[in-house]
């Protein structure tokens, strides 16, 4: 149905990319973000409304005041004719050439076919479309598709999302989009282009800890309609792996998911870092003042000679084993000091004893400061999503829970994982065709104008080259203006939820008209403005509540268990893997009951692949000594013919 | 209605026509010209024996449902000899008001013509419908001739308004102007009111009656009198003066309108109600129109509608190509 007509005056003419049209005041379906179609004899133009004006023939407010004798409640027998005038930006035109001024024509609301044509999704929705939400009224939502190769690569890639925290904007939308990707992604033709996975960091509360659980709340009618229109099943993620560091006791996991029911269905895996990570990310672990050039030089010497080298050089003529954990490294540093002391020299191999003593102090403290996160013990291997032997798996969500860690610890986790991902990306060893890394609080990890840390460098690398190599960054932040421009600028798709007015006043938002900014400042949960390479203009779309359990619901339903002793934890894990109580008791009884032994067995149990019987891990523990007495000897003295 | 190219072709058939740049100055000239009015005599009073000011009871209601007005757009496009050739777009419409909204006129309630006004001596086919031949007699080429043209164009407009008002049936119609032609030959029962803004013709000669009129306060009317039959219609009407607005620093005619109704006892009984309706119709204001003191808003909207359909200057220049 026709809703208006294009107008162009001498003072305010239409251009090739903007036009103005009027509607009667009774037309209620047009507003900021509405898609419209202009039909003239020569062409069809699709546009999006970016500004709205309403006026009548009143020349001055004083005339109105005079007409009613200053009485605002007075009525007149005739109301002034009113009209609405809208400005719209052109999305697409047919035919595409010549690009001329928008003609005077009739204006219609865009229907489903028009929306697809306007957004150019008609060309790719079938083959490469990833539904990103729905456009249109709540009564008639129309699916909007992003192009897979422009969202995840290789044509272009990465998503950057801005939204005020706490308003169900960023995380909710990203989770919905990931659901859509998992259900609609189409593998490429090449051998390294099969499968898609995602890695997320849970940095606060339990928002991302129950992605494999069904939402407790029933979806609303609108949510159901959007899911249906987008061709999505309303269900949680099928495959989710959780990783969390250990607590300081080195036994219990430091996560809100510490719950027997959860451990029974989807056990949380251990996240630890080995010695190479510690040395490599010393800048994260130590203060800036600690790591001057001399200290850095000594640290590099330790790394090259005793961590990476399988045959380290001797110290004072005595052989040295390769350091496998932080304690071993500290011991080596002590030996350096002793050697220098013994020789009465102020240096050990050009490294001054003051420098060595300083590093001893800092390294010795690290094990304490990052207890639970840095692997200790004789088999101090790094564990985590990038260490799993099978690599990233198709349609699997990897969640790294760092919510219970302090800032420094979170920084280490983040720096190490992002660096490893970048390396895997360079070596093309991701294991899936596309890995989506979700990083929240980008203004913290890649601040604009900040120093070039490992993390910043890695994020920039990923942003610049990731799309060719299968790594896609979904970054989110509250303040886009405070994020490194390269990281933001390399994202091809941008999403904007509710944004505070102060942020909107930043120059980076000058691209948007005043009315669009106003709308962004008052956007409701469940709405985003999306900018994508195929859309000539950003458009407003709706998205539904994610189909996973909310963090608050999960924490209520699966209450965190208190820390337990290692043997109790072993019992829990064995029970979860199907062992009977009796067999568990027997197995435990056969083990040496030292806490260290139980911790080692626990570590082995946690590393056990799915489907493997726990006895394999239990067998690696130290056996309890068997007590020999006269009553239990196999051959008794009376029976021994030789005794 | 003939378009501009058709009118141009009609002119091209006639030898001796000289095209000039279209000029709106002729409208200004016409506006200044008025027929010399007859000297007034005191009109006969019908409501009361005393000609006095009567307070109108104010009510926040109106009974008007329809509004009629006409408009013209005139440009000089050429000369034949010394006589001008004019093009005039003349139109009239009745609009209806529903739920306080003025609606665009239905096709049957809209009249329009676009013709060339030429002297009667203009050569060419005398039956050509594109031309209106104006009898200039021995007016010469000056203002007297211009006045003749003006009258011819106003006659066309009046005939359109009259045609519309004659076909009006149901509702209460307010006409911008006199209603004598609307009443001529009409069957009874039609509720029509006329609002006359100009006061070229006076109906009272004696100073006391004139004083009563000019001393009316806002919201007062005069005693009803009989306006004698005049003009083509020869139809008498009942009339009274109504002071719509007052401004002590403006002319005594400020806000003064003369109202016409059908000459019947029923209409006489309605005069108070009609007056209060007219007072209620003063909002919204018709500003910035300079006639806002007497131009009621619905009539202004009719005018706006008619003017919106008048040709632009660019369109007019299609005739002359200048």
């Amino acid at each position: 149905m026709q809703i208006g007509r294009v107008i162009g005056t001498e003072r305010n003419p239409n251009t090739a990319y903007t036009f103005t049209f009027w509607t009667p005041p009774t037309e209620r379906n047009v507003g900021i973000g509405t898609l419209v179609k202009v039909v003239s004899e020569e062409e069809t133009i699709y546009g999006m409304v970016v500004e709205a004006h309403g006026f009548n023939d009143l020349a001055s407010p004083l005339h109105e005041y005079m007409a009613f004798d200053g009485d605002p409640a007075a009525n007149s027998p005739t109301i002034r004719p009113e009209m609405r005038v809208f400005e719209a930006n052109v999305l697409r035109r047919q035919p595409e050439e010549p690009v001329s001024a928008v003609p005077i024509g009739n204006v219609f609301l865009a229907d489903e076919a028009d929306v697809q044509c306007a957004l150019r999704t008609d060309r790719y929705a079938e083959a490469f479309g990833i539904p990103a939400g729905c456009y249109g009224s709540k009564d008639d939502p129309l699916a909007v598709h992003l192009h897979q190769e422009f969202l995840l690569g290789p044509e272009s890639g990465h998503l950057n999302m801005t939204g005020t925290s706490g308003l169900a904007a960023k995380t909710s939308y990203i989770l919905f989009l990931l659901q859509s990707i998992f259900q609609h992604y189409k593998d490429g033709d090449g051998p390294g282009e099969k499968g898609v996975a995602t890695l997320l960091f849970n940095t606060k509360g339990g928002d991302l800890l129950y992605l494999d659980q069904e939402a407790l709340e029933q979806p609303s009618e609108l949510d159901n309609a959007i899911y249906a229109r987008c061709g999505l099943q309303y269900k949680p993620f099928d495959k989710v792996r959780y990783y969390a560091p250990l607590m300081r006791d080195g036994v219990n996991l430091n996560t809100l998911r510490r719950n027997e029911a959860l451990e029974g269905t989807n056990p949380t895996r251990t996240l630890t870092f080995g010695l190479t990570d510690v040395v490599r990310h010393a800048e994260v672990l130590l203060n800036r003042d600690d790591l001057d050039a001399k200290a850095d030089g000594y640290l590099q010497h330790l790394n090259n000679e005793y961590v990476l080298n399988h045959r380290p050089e001797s110290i004072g003529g005595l052989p040295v084993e390769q350091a496998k954990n932080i304690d071993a490294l500290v011991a080596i540093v002590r030996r350096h000091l002793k050697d220098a002391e013994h020789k009465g020299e102020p240096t050990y191999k050009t490294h001054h004893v003051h420098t060595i003593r300083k590093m001893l102090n800092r390294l010795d403290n690290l094990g304490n400061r990052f207890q639970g996160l840095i692997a200790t013990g004789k088999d101090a291997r790094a564990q985590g999503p990038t260490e799993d032997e099978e690599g990233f798996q198709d349609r699997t969500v990897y969640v790294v829970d760092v919510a219970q860690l302090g800032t420094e610890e979170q920084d280490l986790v983040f720096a190490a994982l992002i660096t490893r991902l970048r390396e895997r990306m360079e070596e093309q060893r991701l294991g899936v065709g596309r890995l989506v890394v979700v990083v929240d609080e980008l203004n913290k990890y890649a601040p604009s104008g900040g120093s070039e840390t490992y993390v910043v460098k890695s994020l920039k690398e990923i942003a610049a080259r990731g799309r060719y190599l299968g790594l896609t960054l979904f970054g989110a932040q509250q303040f886009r203006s405070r994020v490194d421009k390269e990281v933001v600028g390399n994202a091809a798709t941008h999403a904007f939820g509710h944004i505070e007015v102060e942020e909107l006043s930043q120059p980076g938002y000058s691209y948007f008209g005043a009315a669009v900014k106003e709308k962004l400042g008052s956007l409701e949960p469940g709405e985003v403005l999306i900018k994508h390479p195929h859309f000539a203009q950003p458009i407003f779309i709706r998205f539904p509540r994610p189909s996973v359990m909310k963090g608050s619901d999960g924490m209520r339903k699966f209450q965190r268990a208190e820390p337990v002793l290692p043997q109790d934890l072993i019992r829990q894990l064995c029970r979860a893997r199907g062992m009977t109580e009796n067999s568990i008791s027997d197995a435990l009884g056969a083990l040496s009951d030292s806490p260290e032994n139980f911790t080692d067995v626990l570590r082995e149990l946690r590393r056990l692949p799915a489907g493997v019987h726990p006895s394999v891990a239990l067998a690696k523990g130290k056996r309890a000594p068997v007590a020999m007495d006269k009553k239990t000897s196999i051959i008794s003295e009376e029976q021994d013919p030789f005794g | 209605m003939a378009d501009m190219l058709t009118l141009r072709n009609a002119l091209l058939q006639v030898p001796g026509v000289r095209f000039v740049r279209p000029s709106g100055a002729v409208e200004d000239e016409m506006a200044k010209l008025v027929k010399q009015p007859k000297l007034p005599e005191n009109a006969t009073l019908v409501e009361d024996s005393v000609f006095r000011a009567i307070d109108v009871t104010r009510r926040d209601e109106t009974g008007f449902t329809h509004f009629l007005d006409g408009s013209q757009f005139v440009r000089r496009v050429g000369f034949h000899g010394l006589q001008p050739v004019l093009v005039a777009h003349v139109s009239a419409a009745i609009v209806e008001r529903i739920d306080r909204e003025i609606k665009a006129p239905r096709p049957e309630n809209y009249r329009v013509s676009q013709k060339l006004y030429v002297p009667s001596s203009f050569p060419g086919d005398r039956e050509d419908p594109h031309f209106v031949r104006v009898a200039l007699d021995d007016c010469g080429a000056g203002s007297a001739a211009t006045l003749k043209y003006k009258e011819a164009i106003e006659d066309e407009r009046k005939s359109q308004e009259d045609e519309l008002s004659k076909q009006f049936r149901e509702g209460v119609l307010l006409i911008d102007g006199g209603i004598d032609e609307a009443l001529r030959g009409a069957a009874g029962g039609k509720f029509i009111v006329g609002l006359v803004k100009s006061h070229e013709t006076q109906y009272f000669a004696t100073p006391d009656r004139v004083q009563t009129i000019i001393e009316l306060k806002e919201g007062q009317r005069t005693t009803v009198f009989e306006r004698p039959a005049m003009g083509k219609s020869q139809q008498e009407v009942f009339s009274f003066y109504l002071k719509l607005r007052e401004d002590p620093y403006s002319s005594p005619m400020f806000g003064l309108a003369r109202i016409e109704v059908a000459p019947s006892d029923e209409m006489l009984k309605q005069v108070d109600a009609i007056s209060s309706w007219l007072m209620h119709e003063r909002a919204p204001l018709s500003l910035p129109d300079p006639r806002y003191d007497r131009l009621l808003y619905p009539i202004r909207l009719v005018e706006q509608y008619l003017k919106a359909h008048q040709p632009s200057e660019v369109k007019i220049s299609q005739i002359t190509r200048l």
Side-chain angles (χ1 to χ4, degrees):
Chain A
M1 198 180 85
Q2 185 177 346
I3 55 156
R5 275 187 66 78
V6 174
I7 48 177
T9 62
E10 208 171 327
R11 201 181 291 179
N12 190 26
N14 297 318
T15 69
Y17 297 104
T18 62
F19 61 95
T20 307
F21 66 94
W22 68 267
T23 72
T26 47
E27 179 49 61
R28 301 262 179 256
N29 293 315
V30 182
I32 303 300
T34 303
L35 300 190
V36 295
K37 175 173 75 172
V38 175
V39 177
S40 74
E41 276 180 23
E42 306 91 26
E43 51 188 333
T44 303
I45 309 273
Y46 300 93
M48 186 186 88
V49 175
V50 295
E51 185 59 271
H53 307 276
F55 52 88
N56 56 24
D57 63 350
L58 183 66
S60 161
L62 199 54
H63 299 168
E64 192 82 335
Y65 178 86
M66 285 160 58
F68 294 102
D69 288 329
D71 179 6
N75 256 335
S76 64
T78 308
I79 52 175
R80 293 184 182 273
E82 189 188 333
M83 68 190 290
R84 302 278 162 85
V85 175
F86 298 94
E87 292 171 27
N89 287 348
V90 173
L91 285 167
R92 192 177 182 187
R93 63 198 325 130
Q94 283 179 327
E96 309 232 334
E97 297 282 344
V99 179
S100 183
V102 175
I104 305 294
N106 298 327
V107 181
F108 302 84
L109 285 177
D111 61 20
E112 185 165 4
D114 295 329
V115 170
Q116 289 193 348
C117 188
L119 302 178
R120 300 168 202 270
T121 60
D122 53 347
R123 291 184 190 168
Y124 64 78
E126 273 291 320
F128 297 109
I130 303 283
C134 281
Y135 159 82
S137 70
K138 291 180 181 180
D139 302 321
D140 185 25
L142 305 172
V144 170
H145 295 80
L146 305 179
H147 194 303
Q148 166 183 306
E149 292 184 347
F150 287 78
L151 174 65
L152 304 174
E155 297 295 336
S156 60
H158 314 305
L159 167 84
N160 183 270
M161 170 118 201
T162 308
T164 305
S165 290
L167 286 180
K170 303 191 295 293
T171 309
S172 299
Y173 184 64
I174 287 176
L175 285 176
F176 167 73
L177 194 57
L178 287 172
Q179 278 279 33
S180 188
I181 290 169
F182 275 28
Q183 292 187 37
H184 284 272
Y185 177 78
K186 290 183 181 55
D187 290 334
D189 294 328
E193 295 178 29
K194 310 279 182 225
V196 60
T198 182
L199 172 69
L200 301 99
F201 294 89
N202 183 60
T203 54
K204 48 182 186 280
D207 285 346
L208 299 177
L209 297 185
Y210 309 97
L211 303 184
D212 51 346
Q213 302 290 330
E214 284 183 12
L216 290 186
E217 276 179 54
Q218 289 302 312
S220 67
E221 220 176 286
L222 177 60
D223 287 345
N224 276 332
I226 296 176
Y227 272 101
R229 280 295 189 148
C230 291
L232 294 175
Q233 290 181 39
Y234 183 82
K235 57 171 188 157
F237 289 95
D238 288 330
K239 293 184 277 186
V240 186
R241 292 192 191 176
Y242 298 94
Y243 297 82
L246 295 169
M247 293 176 69
R248 289 187 166 274
D249 63 7
V251 171
N252 293 275
L253 287 168
N254 196 359
T255 175
L256 289 171
R257 277 182 61 86
R258 204 170 55 232
N259 173 285
E260 195 168 342
L262 289 176
E263 289 298 314
T265 52
N266 188 3
T268 308
R269 298 154 198 247
T270 314
L271 176 76
T272 51
F273 295 101
L275 189 55
T276 44
D277 296 300
V278 170
V279 175
R280 192 179 197 183
H281 299 293
E283 63 168 38
V284 177
L285 301 172
L286 304 175
N287 287 331
R288 201 173 287 280
D289 297 334
D290 290 340
L291 211 60
D292 57 14
K294 290 180 248 182
D296 190 48
Y298 179 62
L299 199 58
Q300 291 312 312
H301 170 70
L302 287 174
N303 190 37
N304 293 334
E305 203 51 51
Y306 300 103
V307 178
L308 300 176
N309 192 353
H310 294 295
R311 291 193 181 174
E313 61 180 22
S314 59
I315 303 173
L318 295 172
V320 179
E321 277 187 16
Q322 184 185 16
K324 292 283 174 77
N325 56 49
I326 192 79
D327 295 327
L329 192 65
V330 167
I332 288 169
V333 175
R334 284 190 206 283
R335 284 178 65 174
H336 283 172
L337 273 177
K338 223 173 181 167
D339 186 70
E341 213 178 80
H342 178 72
K343 289 173 182 166
E345 284 171 4
T347 61
Y348 175 83
K349 287 200 179 208
T350 75
H351 302 289
H352 201 278
V353 293
H354 290 325
T355 304
I356 297 174
R357 200 166 282 126
K358 184 166 97 169
M359 287 314 297
L360 172 65
N361 204 327
R362 304 299 184 265
L363 288 173
D364 200 14
N365 203 16
L366 274 184
N368 222 10
R369 276 167 64 201
F370 297 94
Q371 202 169 3
L373 198 52
I374 297 180
T376 54
K378 62 179 191 311
D379 190 12
R381 274 186 282 155
Q383 295 179 84
T386 51
E387 313 310 319
D388 289 348
E389 277 168 14
E390 64 269 30
F392 290 100
Q393 297 293 294
D394 185 25
R395 265 62 173 187
T396 304
V397 180
Y398 296 81
V399 179
V400 176
D401 183 14
V402 296
Q404 307 301 306
L405 299 180
T407 311
E408 282 182 326
E409 291 161 305
Q410 283 188 358
D411 288 349
L412 170 62
V413 170
F414 194 79
L417 284 179
I418 290 294
T419 309
R420 284 215 203 109
L421 281 175
R422 195 194 90 195
E423 284 163 1
R424 279 209 165 189
M425 171 190 88
E426 306 269 3
E427 294 159 13
Q428 301 202 44
R429 284 194 309 116
L430 287 171
V432 285
R434 299 275 153 216
L435 177 70
V436 179
V437 179
V438 180
V439 178
D440 201 352
E441 311 290 351
L442 262 188
N443 43 282
K444 177 182 168 191
Y445 294 110
S448 66
S451 53
E452 279 281 287
T453 60
Y454 259 154
V455 174
V456 172
K457 266 193 263 184
S458 294
L459 285 173
K460 280 187 184 178
E461 267 301 303
I462 293 170
R465 299 170 52 236
R467 60 188 166 104
Y468 300 114
L469 302 171
L471 192 56
T472 304
L473 177 65
F474 278 16
Q477 68 281 322
Q478 208 177 173
F479 306 107
R480 189 165 180 253
S481 58
R482 299 187 203 170
V483 177
D484 186 277
K485 302 241 178 313
E486 269 185 61
V487 173
V488 171
N490 271 311
T493 304
H494 296 263
F496 302 86
H498 177 279
I499 302 177
E500 293 294 342
V501 166
E502 294 81 9
E503 173 66 9
L504 282 170
S505 65
Q506 297 299 315
Y509 298 89
S510 58
Y511 169 80
F512 298 123
V516 172
K517 279 198 238 184
E518 287 286 343
K519 188 163 177 176
L520 282 174
S522 58
L523 219 51
E524 294 283 326
E527 284 188 274
V528 287
L529 176 70
I530 193 125
K531 195 162 160 274
H532 185 61
H534 277 271
F535 305 163
Q537 297 288 331
I539 61 161
F540 285 97
I541 56 175
R542 292 181 208 282
F543 66 93
R545 189 176 306 152
S547 54
V548 299
M549 185 179 284
K550 281 199 303 204
S552 50
D553 290 340
M555 290 193 295
R556 254 194 306 274
K557 185 175 176 186
F558 303 105
Q559 303 244 344
R560 183 167 65 167
E562 290 301 316
V564 295
L565 294 169
Q567 51 267 49
D568 294 328
L569 211 42
I570 290 171
R571 205 175 273 278
Q572 264 181 36
L573 292 178
C574 288
R575 211 163 31 227
R577 284 179 183 258
M579 275 181 81
T580 61
E581 281 298 332
N582 282 344
S583 50
I584 295 171
S585 298
D586 288 345
L588 280 172
L591 291 174
S592 158
D593 60 1
S594 71
E596 294 78 21
N597 190 36
F598 283 140
T599 305
D600 290 340
V601 169
L602 190 57
R603 190 183 309 119
E604 290 302 325
L605 253 179
R606 283 190 171 132
R607 283 185 192 156
L608 216 52
V612 177
H613 199 270
S615 56
V616 172
L618 290 165
K620 293 189 179 170
K622 243 189 267 183
R623 317 309 294 170
V626 177
M628 299 287 287
D629 63 13
K630 288 179 184 173
K631 289 184 189 157
T632 59
S633 66
I634 296 168
I635 301 175
S636 66
E637 280 181 10
E638 289 92 4
Q639 291 172 330
D640 185 1
F642 302 100
Chain B
M1 182 184 81
D3 63 25
M4 298 301 171
L5 288 178
T6 306
L7 294 180
R8 174 182 169 80
N9 286 337
L11 281 174
L12 285 173
Q13 306 301 318
V14 179
V17 170
R18 179 187 165 143
F19 289 110
V20 296
R21 272 189 208 94
S23 167
V26 63
E27 279 189 334
D28 298 334
E29 290 162 21
M30 285 181 176
K32 290 176 193 157
L33 296 171
V34 289
K35 225 173 170 173
Q36 195 60 32
K38 224 174 63 164
L39 285 175
E41 293 171 8
N42 278 350
T44 311
L45 302 181
V46 296
E47 186 184 9
D48 198 349
S49 55
V50 176
F51 190 68
R52 59 189 175 92
I54 302 168
D55 289 330
V56 172
T57 310
R58 302 282 277 272
R59 286 184 215 116
D60 285 344
E61 61 182 25
T62 178
F64 294 113
T65 60
H66 294 73
F67 305 88
L68 181 152
D69 195 10
S71 182
Q72 66 257 12
F73 177 89
V74 185
R75 291 292 182 266
R76 182 166 46 221
V77 294
F79 283 88
H80 188 264
L82 287 175
Q83 298 301 345
V85 173
L86 310 181
V87 63
H89 179 284
V90 182
S91 56
I94 290 181
V95 299
E96 188 179 0
R97 179 170 59 193
I98 302 174
D99 291 334
R100 299 170 68 211
E101 260 189 77
I102 296 291
K103 302 293 183 189
R106 284 192 274 251
E108 62 269 23
N109 284 338
Y110 177 65
R111 296 287 181 274
V112 62
S113 74
Q114 187 162 267
K115 293 183 182 177
L116 293 160
Y117 286 71
V118 296
S120 52
S121 59
F122 196 71
D125 182 2
R126 299 197 79 80
E127 303 303 317
D128 190 335
H130 301 118
F131 295 107
V132 174
R133 292 170 182 277
V134 180
L136 294 181
D137 303 325
D138 39 0
C139 288
S143 51
T146 307
L147 185 58
K148 292 281 185 189
Y149 279 108
K150 178 184 173 181
E151 285 169 358
I153 292 168
E154 284 181 352
D155 282 348
E156 170 65 19
R157 173 180 159 169
K158 202 80 184 64
S159 81
Q160 289 179 359
E161 292 175 1
D162 294 342
E163 200 185 319
L164 287 174
S165 60
K166 281 200 175 82
Q167 76 183 30
F168 176 75
R169 291 282 173 266
E170 283 189 24
V172 180
L173 175 64
L174 178 64
I175 293 178
D176 183 52
I179 63 169
D180 47 351
E181 198 55 50
L183 296 178
R184 192 162 68 97
K190 278 204 287 196
F191 201 138
I192 299 179
V193 177
L195 188 150
V196 180
K197 298 191 295 290
S198 68
H199 302 287
E200 286 163 17
T201 309
Q202 301 291 320
Y203 296 97
F204 295 96
T206 52
D208 60 323
R209 293 204 176 176
V210 171
Q211 200 67 16
T212 302
I213 294 168
I214 64 177
E215 283 180 357
L216 283 175
K217 300 275 180 267
E218 183 177 300
Q220 286 186 329
R221 67 170 178 90
T222 64
T223 311
V224 178
F225 58 91
E226 185 180 277
R227 195 218 70 189
M230 51 203 288
K232 269 199 297 195
S233 68
Q234 291 300 306
Q235 168 74 46
E236 55 276 317
V237 296
F238 284 174
S239 186
F240 59 94
Y241 288 92
L242 175 66
K243 189 76 167 175
L244 293 166
R245 293 190 185 277
E246 195 179 351
D247 180 357
Y249 303 106
S250 291
S251 120
M253 302 302 187
F254 182 88
L256 183 70
R258 187 173 62 79
I259 312 302
E260 292 189 358
V261 298
S264 68
D265 288 335
E266 294 121 40
M267 289 312 292
L268 198 56
K269 288 177 191 155
Q270 298 279 4
V271 160
D272 276 330
I274 291 168
S275 300
S276 83
W277 296 349
L278 289 166
M279 291 304 291
H280 187 52
E281 293 281 356
R282 296 176 313 147
L285 274 180
S286 295
L287 278 167
D289 194 302
R291 303 164 297 164
Y292 80 93
D293 57 310
R294 285 154 289 145
L295 175 63
L296 297 183
Y297 187 73
I299 299 293
R300 178 167 187 263
L301 286 184
V302 184
E303 258 185 34
Q304 299 262 296
Y305 176 83
L306 295 173
K307 285 185 190 314
H309 287 75
Q310 288 171 349
S312 64
E313 301 293 350
V314 172
K315 210 73 176 134
I316 294 286
S317 66
Q318 282 185 333
I319 296 179
T320 64
R321 303 256 171 107
L322 292 171

